[in-house]
Amino acid sequence: MWTLSAGHRSDVAAAPSAPVVIVPGAKVAPDGTPMAYLRGRLDVAIELIEAGKAEEILLSGDAGGSSGDEIASMIAYLLDRGIDPAIVRSDGSGLSTRETCERAKSMFGIDRAIIVSQYQHLPRAVALCRVAGIEADGVVASCECRQVTEARNNIREWLAAPKAVAQMLHGRLWAADARRGGGTSADGLAAADATAGVTCWRNPGRVP
């Protein structure tokens, strides 16, 4: 993961431009507002939009999450901070980093994007998106977190790493099979998600 994402991680100032910034979901507070990790990601997305580094935002998370509706929380946060709702799209079925990346490609036609997350998660997020066929660069998000939260998320990433490697290998095998005529078609994916609450755009990488 570190190898695949090497040279593709930076802060806002050094980030390249891309049509879309992808924000993966995370826990929300009992009152429905984003918790520290999610706030950090959303704040960076706002910075990227204001700096002209991205034109649109794709919010990807769990609309029926155990802590609450991640999508509704993210949308409210962005709109409260002056982001134009016309540039915001959402996918309430991005239940994992892998799904976020694969659905950004298959459902939204995204070929080039910035993905934002904290330093522990960013190498995995960038690597999974690049394996999914997105020319992805990552921008690190901050987190005003307690030390116990930081430690918990470090452990989570250590445990997630072997699974992510397996997913990336599977993704490459799936792509090779698709080139030979197997795999799952984009039409099939679209049909399977017809009722998933996805807000899509048709032109790859660009919202009409």
Side-chain angles (χ1 to χ4, degrees), residues 22 58 60 91 97-113 128-135 174 186 189 200-205:
I22 300 172
L58 173 61
S60 181
D91 178 4
T97 305
R98 177 187 178 185
E99 289 172 310
T100 287
C101 294
E102 291 181 348
R103 290 171 64 83
K105 176 69 173 181
S106 65
M107 299 300 298
F108 293 85
I110 293 174
D111 295 319
R112 172 94 182 92
L128 285 169
C129 278
R130 295 186 78 84
V131 167
I134 299 172
E135 187 185 344
W174 183 92
L189 286 167
C200 298
W201 55 78
R202 296 181 184 279
N203 188 8

Side-chain angles (χ1 to χ4, degrees), residues 172-185:
R172 287 179 170 179
L173 291 172
W174 183 92
D177 184 59
R179 286 194 295 270
R180 291 192 299 268
T184 302
S185 71

Side-chain angles (χ1 to χ4, degrees), residues 92-178:
S93 295
L95 308 185
S96 68
T97 305
R98 177 187 178 185
E99 289 172 310
T100 287
C101 294
E102 291 181 348
R103 290 171 64 83
K105 176 69 173 181
S106 65
M107 299 300 298
F108 293 85
I110 293 174
D111 295 319
R112 172 94 182 92
I114 295 170
I115 187 164
V116 299
S117 192
Q118 280 70 25
Y119 73 92
Q120 304 99 323
H121 177 236
L122 196 61
R124 181 162 63 95
V126 172
L128 285 169
C129 278
R130 295 186 78 84
V131 167
I134 299 172
E135 187 185 344
D137 288 280
V139 173
V140 66
S142 63
C143 179
E144 296 177 359
C145 300
R146 297 176 300 167
Q147 286 187 340
V148 65
T149 303
E150 293 277 4
R152 185 185 303 120
N153 282 282
N154 280 328
I155 293 170
R156 178 185 177 187
E157 284 304 312
W158 294 336
L159 294 175
K163 180 180 179 181
V165 171
Q167 289 173 339
M168 287 185 283
L169 290 173
H170 177 268
R172 287 179 170 179
L173 291 172
W174 183 92
D177 184 59

Side-chain angles (χ1 to χ4, degrees), residues 11-101:
D11 57 14
V12 172
S17 296
V20 185
V21 53
I22 300 172
V23 183
K27 284 186 177 181
V28 301
D31 65 358
T33 58
M35 294 185 72
Y37 257 64
L38 191 50
R39 283 199 309 273
R41 295 173 186 180
L42 292 165
D43 287 342
V44 167
I46 293 169
E47 287 185 60
L48 289 164
I49 293 294
E50 292 179 343
K53 296 293 182 82
E55 299 174 357
E56 285 85 32
I57 301 173
L58 173 61
L59 305 174
S60 181
D62 190 350
S66 58
S67 68
D69 187 338
E70 296 172 6
I71 298 298
S73 178
M74 290 192 280
I75 290 173
Y77 188 89
L78 292 176
L79 300 191
D80 284 348
R81 283 151 185 80
I83 293 297
D84 182 353
I87 70 167
V88 179
R89 299 293 183 270
S90 62
D91 178 4
S93 295
L95 308 185
S96 68
T97 305
R98 177 187 178 185
E99 289 172 310
T100 287
C101 294

